[in-house]
């Protein structure tokens, strides 16, 4: 195994922490602990990933937790190298990594990354303070200071290019979502361009403290972006934020949880089983997990599924073609 974590799990006193459904699983090759690569604090990845890690740790009796990272692009590299067992990523960066086109490691094909399960769609959305007077993309002033999230994140990889294509001239800023939200509130940024599951914690927090404009794409802008980038049309429901009075047009990219392909099949089977069979618990972690269901595995046409994950899907009636299994 490429993963440097110890292979033999320590005996748990009396077996009290063993989940009943996995008590008879062969744990001899399981890791003693695991880490989930998330993203910056204040974003959905951090909340979702940390909550999922805690759930799996409790369910399977293996120590684990989430860790702050640079987001989807870095998570692919960390999982590929074995520095982390699990990570969260989006299909755009995953496609680049599989083709050896990751900006973090040009020329390196990251073939030790396997898909686990679908998470949710990441909408690309834009927020500005109401006091700025910015209500549309065309109203973003030349030289506007725009926060795009952590460097090399999904947002930072795709949103600047999208806005450039739409004719926006800006000064690029990076940082964690909570930090960028604070900078927007303090007048240090003009706009924040988010790519994160909704509701975005940083936006929800901003709404409590000040008046915010959620800026949608026009039909023409939407068509231009769909034609030029690996995204899909998306609608942000009005119920997502108190600021929205009606649904807002946006674009999105699917997110998947990933694992090192060399992790033990039985371990990944139990991780997948626990996640896919407890959607109510996952929704308690973050409401975006309502789409973390097996039917949505069809949205992955980039990464091979881990054999352990594929076994659970196939046992439960979900077909995966042989060429999509590692």
């Amino acid at each position: 195994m490429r993963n440097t974590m110890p292979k033999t799990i320590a005996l748990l006193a009396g077996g009290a922490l063993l989940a009943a459904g996995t008590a008879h699983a062969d744990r001899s090759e399981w890791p003693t602990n695991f880490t989930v690569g998330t993203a910056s604090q204040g974003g959905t990845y951090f909340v979702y990933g940390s909550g999922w890690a805690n759930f799996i740790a409790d369910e399977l009796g293996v120590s684990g937790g989430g860790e702050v990272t640079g987001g989807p692009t870095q998570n692919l590299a960390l999982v590929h190298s074995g520095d982390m067992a699990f990570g969260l990523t989006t299909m755009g960066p995953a496609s680049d990594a599989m083709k050896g086109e990751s900006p973090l490691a040009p020329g390196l094909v990251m073939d030790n990354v396997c898909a686990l399960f679908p998470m949710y769609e990441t909408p690309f959305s834009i927020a500005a303070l109401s006091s700025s007077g910015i209500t549309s993309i065309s109203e973003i002033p030349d030289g506007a200071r725009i926060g795009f999230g952590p460097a090399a994140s999904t947002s930072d990889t795709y949103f600047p290019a999208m806005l450039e294509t739409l004719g926006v001239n800006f000064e690029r800023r990076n940082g964690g979502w909570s930090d960028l939200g604070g900078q927007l509130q303090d007048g240090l940024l003009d706009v924040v361009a988010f790519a994160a599951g909704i509701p975005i914690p940083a936006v929800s927090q901003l709404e409590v403290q000040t008046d915010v404009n959620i800026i949608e794409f026009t039909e023409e802008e939407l068509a231009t972006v769909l034609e030029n980038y690996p995204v899909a049309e998306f609608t942000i429901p009005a119920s997502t934020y108190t600021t929205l009075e009606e649904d807002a047009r946006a674009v999105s990219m699917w997110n998947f949880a990933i694992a090192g392909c060399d992790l033990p099949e039985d371990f990944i089977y139990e991780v997948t089983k626990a996640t896919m069979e407890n959607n109510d618990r996952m929704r308690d972690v973050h409401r975006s997990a309502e789409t973390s269901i097996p039917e949505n595995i069809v949205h992955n046409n980039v990464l091979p599924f881990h054999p352990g994950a594929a076994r659970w899907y196939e046992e439960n009636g979900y077909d995966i073609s042989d060429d999509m299994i590692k």
Side-chain angles (χ1 to χ4, degrees):
M1 288 178 61
R2 221 175 273 177
N3 200 308
T4 58
M5 292 184 290
K7 290 185 177 181
T8 307
I9 187 166
L11 294 177
L12 298 171
L17 295 179
L18 292 177
T22 63
H24 301 294
D26 178 8
R27 292 174 165 242
S28 62
E29 294 297 313
W30 284 28
T32 57
N33 55 74
F34 66 86
T35 303
V36 178
T38 63
S40 67
Q41 294 184 2
T44 304
Y45 263 30
F46 180 76
V47 177
Y48 188 112
S50 298
W52 174 60
N54 293 337
F55 164 61
I56 291 299
D58 291 342
E59 192 76 6
L60 301 188
V62 181
S63 176
E67 185 168 318
V68 172
T69 70
T73 300
Q74 187 180 22
N75 291 341
L76 287 155
L78 291 168
V79 169
H80 171 74
S81 66
D83 291 326
M84 290 188 179
F86 301 112
L88 313 180
T89 195
T90 41
M91 290 293 97
S95 177
D96 291 342
M98 291 296 289
K99 293 184 291 188
E101 298 175 359
S102 170
L104 293 182
L108 175 64
V109 176
M110 297 186 186
D111 55 3
N112 186 44
V113 178
C114 281
L116 282 187
F117 63 86
M119 296 165 52
Y120 54 82
E121 293 176 87
T122 288
F124 287 70
S125 58
I126 300 170
L129 297 185
S130 297
S131 59
S132 71
I134 301 172
T135 62
S136 66
I137 292 175
S138 62
E139 291 177 348
I140 298 175
D142 283 349
R145 300 159 298 177
I146 301 181
F148 289 103
S153 64
T154 299
S155 181
D156 187 51
T157 301
Y158 293 96
F159 229 149
M162 289 181 193
L163 293 183
E164 286 175 352
T165 299
L166 296 177
V168 180
N169 176 23
F170 54 83
E171 182 181 319
R172 186 172 182 162
R173 300 286 180 84
N174 292 113
W177 293 127
S178 291
D179 181 46
L180 294 178
Q183 290 185 46
L184 182 67
Q185 185 176 1
D186 293 341
L188 301 176
L189 291 176
D190 301 295
V191 172
V192 178
F194 295 92
I198 56 175
I200 300 165
V203 175
S204 298
Q205 183 177 353
L206 273 173
E207 285 190 305
V208 173
Q209 298 169 336
T210 187
D211 293 329
V212 180
N213 289 341
I214 307 296
I215 299 168
E216 69 173 346
F217 292 80
T218 65
E219 291 184 3
E220 182 179 354
E221 290 165 347
L222 181 65
T224 298
V225 171
L226 291 175
E227 182 180 351
N228 289 280
Y229 298 96
V231 293
E233 187 171 351
F234 186 85
T235 299
I236 300 175
S239 59
T240 305
Y241 300 113
T242 58
T243 296
L244 285 177
E245 296 181 356
E246 57 185 29
D247 296 348
R249 281 183 297 269
V251 295
S252 69
M253 193 177 286
W254 266 93
N255 299 266
F256 268 71
I258 55 175
C261 298
D262 49 8
L263 287 169
E265 181 175 329
D266 284 346
F267 175 55
I268 297 302
Y269 175 87
E270 297 296 344
V271 169
T272 306
K273 174 182 171 68
T275 306
M276 292 292 93
E277 295 184 4
N278 291 280
N279 188 251
D280 56 337
R281 295 277 301 278
M282 292 297 293
R283 292 198 308 273
D284 288 342
V285 168
H286 194 279
R287 80 187 209 194
S288 66
E290 65 184 3
T291 57
S292 299
I293 54 177
E295 288 82 357
N296 285 327
I297 62 173
V298 297
H299 297 294
N300 169 38
N301 57 5
V302 173
L303 295 170
F305 283 92
H306 192 288
R311 174 153 61 94
W312 184 89
Y313 292 121
E314 291 175 338
E315 286 179 0
N316 288 274
Y318 301 96
D319 292 330
I320 299 176
S321 61
D322 290 343
D323 62 349
M324 286 296 292
I325 302 174
K326 185 69 174 183

